[in-house]
């Protein structure tokens, strides 16, 4: 065991996870891709997936990986609050910070990828990352960002609340999980131009995703409606459930494991004949691959899974409190990769008309970079193999030298 431990590439993937499963599933896709690709080059990978959503741990981690479940948080009008624990937010953040600091130090990672928030919720990662940088300067630390953050004004305020010099000091690279020809977050103002030297675009994390078996229970052919985690998916699923099912098809509605039980009961009550309502399935990608059409919210992970298939898709994006999904849906619709409908205009008749036009068709999805998982492996191998080959790592070293002078 000891020789294997010395030879393994140790990786930590962190996501703050306040709502839905998208952050954790994005990191899970990266974990599978890194594990399989490094294995082909003869290197073992062992890692830890850090998440705040208990539902994420039901997904199968790659061999050599484990989960670290930290206390859950939720969004409120006043900011983040504990989801379950009957303590104050400061206490929850302190516990989360302590747990992540321990894994960052004792697991002794070679590579850390932080999803979306550079220092986590309320700076919970800051001390742990700074200690890691001091004690293990050879460890490479990456900030992974989806291609759309939010309206530029909102994203700008989030960056202004951070110490950008600390971001440059801590992170070797910023990986943007998208194609800048579809959406460029630097040009839009969502990422400060002062961080441009650290940015590498991976492409969308779509191609190469592995699907598990379908859950079963719904016969072919069928259409599927998905509401992500489901906490805010009531209106989408109610409208879809009221739509008539195309002749010869069944309709599978996946409300999401976080939809309140009384909301799911309301969806079941209005479901049309031929419609089946479930809270979750074994693997959303498997359901999308086999479906004749998919209706979904516009979260990054679900959209990437859709674009890895040829299944026609209608996206009903979330528009509050963030506009991220709306911006993404519009950009991809302009390229003909999917269709979208504003939720204010989404009705059972609109859905029935769209289904009549698209069921059973194949949608070609080309002309956009969908190879983000392969790129992530290439970038990671460059970082951990020979940091001198990484332009962003060199920029960071140059910045440090300049600061020291």
């Amino acid at each position: 065991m000891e020789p294997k431990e010395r030879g393994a590439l140790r990786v930590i993937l962190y996501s703050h996870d306040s709502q839905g499963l998208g952050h954790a599933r994005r990191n899970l896709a990266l974990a599978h891709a890194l594990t399989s690709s490094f294995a082909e080059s003869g290197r073992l990978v062992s890692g830890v997936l850090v998440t705040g959503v208990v539902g994420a741990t039901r997904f199968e981690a790659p061999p050599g990986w484990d989960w670290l479940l930290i206390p859950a948080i939720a969004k409120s009008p006043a900011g983040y609050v504990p989801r379950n624990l009957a303590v104050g937010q400061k206490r929850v953040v302190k516990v989360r910070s302590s747990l992540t600091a321990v894994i960052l130090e004792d697991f002794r990672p070679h590579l850390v990828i932080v999803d979306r928030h550079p220092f986590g919720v309320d700076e919970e990662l800051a001390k742990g990352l700074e200690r890691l940088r001091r004690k293990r300067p050879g460890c490479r630390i990456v900030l992974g960002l989806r291609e759309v953050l939010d309206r530029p004004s909102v994203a700008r305020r989030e960056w202004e609340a951070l110490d950008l010099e600390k971001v440059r000091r801590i992170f070797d690279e910023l990986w943007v999980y998208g194609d800048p020809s579809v959406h460029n977050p630097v040009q839009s103002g969502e990422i400060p131009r002062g961080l441009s030297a650290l940015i590498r675009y991976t492409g969308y994390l779509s191609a190469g995703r592995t699907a598990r078996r379908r859950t079963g229970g719904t016969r072919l052919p069928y259409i599927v409606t998905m509401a992500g985690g489901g906490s805010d998916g009531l209106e989408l699923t109610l409208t879809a459930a009221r739509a008539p099912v195309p002749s010869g098809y069944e309709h599978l509605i996946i409300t999401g494991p976080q939809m309140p039980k009384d909301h799911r009961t309301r969806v079941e009550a209005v479901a049309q004949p031929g419609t089946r309502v479930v809270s979750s399935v074994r693997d959303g990608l498997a359901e999308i691959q086999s479906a004749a059409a998919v209706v979904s919210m516009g979260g990054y992970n679900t959209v990437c899974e859709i674009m890895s298939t040829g299944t026609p898709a209608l996206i009903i994006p979330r528009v509050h409190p963030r506009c991220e999904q709306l911006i993404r849906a519009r950009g991809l619709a302009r390229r003909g990769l999917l269709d979208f409908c504003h939720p204010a205009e989404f009705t059972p008749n609109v859905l029935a008309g769209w289904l009549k036009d698209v069921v059973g068709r194949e949608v070609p999805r080309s002309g956009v970079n969908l190879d983000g998982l392969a790129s992530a492996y290439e970038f990671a191998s460059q970082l951990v193999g020979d940091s001198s080959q990484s332009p962003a790592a060199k920029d960071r070293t140059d910045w440090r030298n300049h600061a020291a002078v």
Side-chain angles (χ1 to χ4, degrees), residues 96-371:
R96 288 165 57 102
S97 181
S98 298
L99 290 170
T100 52
V102 167
I103 200 70
L104 286 169
E105 181 167 2
D106 291 349
F107 190 60
R108 303 178 71 236
H110 302 100
L111 175 65
V112 175
I113 302 178
V114 176
D115 186 79
R116 179 64 177 89
H117 295 284
F119 304 114
V121 173
D122 296 335
E123 297 270 308
E124 65 188 2
L125 284 183
K127 290 183 179 179
L129 290 176
E130 288 182 310
R131 186 182 302 115
L132 177 64
R133 179 57 75 203
R134 290 195 309 270
K135 291 191 172 184
R136 291 182 60 80
C139 176
R140 297 308 177 206
I141 305 176
V142 173
L143 175 61
L145 299 172
R146 61 182 185 240
E147 89 292 21
V148 181
L149 299 182
D150 204 340
R151 293 189 302 271
S153 59
V154 174
R156 192 176 303 116
R157 285 196 298 270
E158 292 182 355
W159 287 109
E160 287 173 350
L162 297 173
D163 181 344
L164 292 189
E165 289 191 355
K166 187 195 293 187
V167 173
R168 286 190 288 264
R169 184 173 69 248
I170 295 295
F171 290 94
D172 294 279
E173 295 185 347
L174 273 62
W175 295 353
V176 177
Y177 302 135
D179 184 336
S181 71
V182 178
H183 184 81
N184 188 319
V186 176
Q187 290 183 357
S188 70
E190 294 162 74
I191 298 178
R193 292 188 179 273
L195 298 177
S196 296
L198 300 180
I199 292 175
R200 303 182 82 178
Y201 291 91
T202 63
Y204 290 92
L205 306 181
S206 292
R209 291 198 177 219
T210 302
R212 300 168 66 190
R213 289 186 301 110
R214 286 189 59 223
T215 299
T218 304
R219 297 190 302 271
L220 295 172
Y222 69 96
I223 58 176
V224 61
T225 295
M226 313 174 73
S231 59
D232 59 351
L234 177 61
E235 294 305 320
L236 167 66
T237 52
L238 276 176
T239 301
R242 292 187 174 109
V245 180
S247 178
Y249 290 84
E250 291 190 0
H251 187 183
L252 173 64
I253 298 180
I254 308 168
T255 63
Q258 294 176 348
M259 177 174 283
K261 187 175 181 180
D262 62 319
H263 287 187
R264 193 179 79 202
T265 299
R266 290 173 60 186
V267 176
E268 293 170 341
V270 301
Q272 295 295 297
T275 300
R276 178 168 174 253
V277 181
V278 300
S279 62
S280 62
V281 292
R282 181 182 291 112
D283 184 5
L285 175 57
E287 305 298 336
I288 294 169
Q289 287 178 337
S290 299
V294 56
V295 181
S296 174
M297 298 179 75
Y300 178 88
N301 193 70
T302 301
V303 167
C304 281
E305 289 184 337
I306 288 170
M307 291 198 299
S308 73
T309 75
T311 306
L314 177 64
I315 301 300
I316 316 299
R318 179 190 298 127
V319 294
H320 300 292
R322 292 186 178 274
C323 287
E324 163 229 337
Q325 294 192 7
L326 179 61
I327 296 169
R328 174 178 301 114
R330 282 175 171 165
L332 293 171
R334 282 195 294 267
R335 299 290 290 268
L337 299 167
L338 45 77
D339 298 315
F340 97 95
C341 177
H342 193 284
E345 301 171 354
F346 185 53
T347 67
N349 286 337
V350 166
L351 176 54
W354 180 79
L355 289 171
K356 183 179 179 181
D357 289 340
V358 305
V359 286
R361 285 171 40 192
E362 189 83 6
V363 177
R365 294 189 167 105
S366 58
V368 62
N369 185 355
L370 302 177
D371 292 324

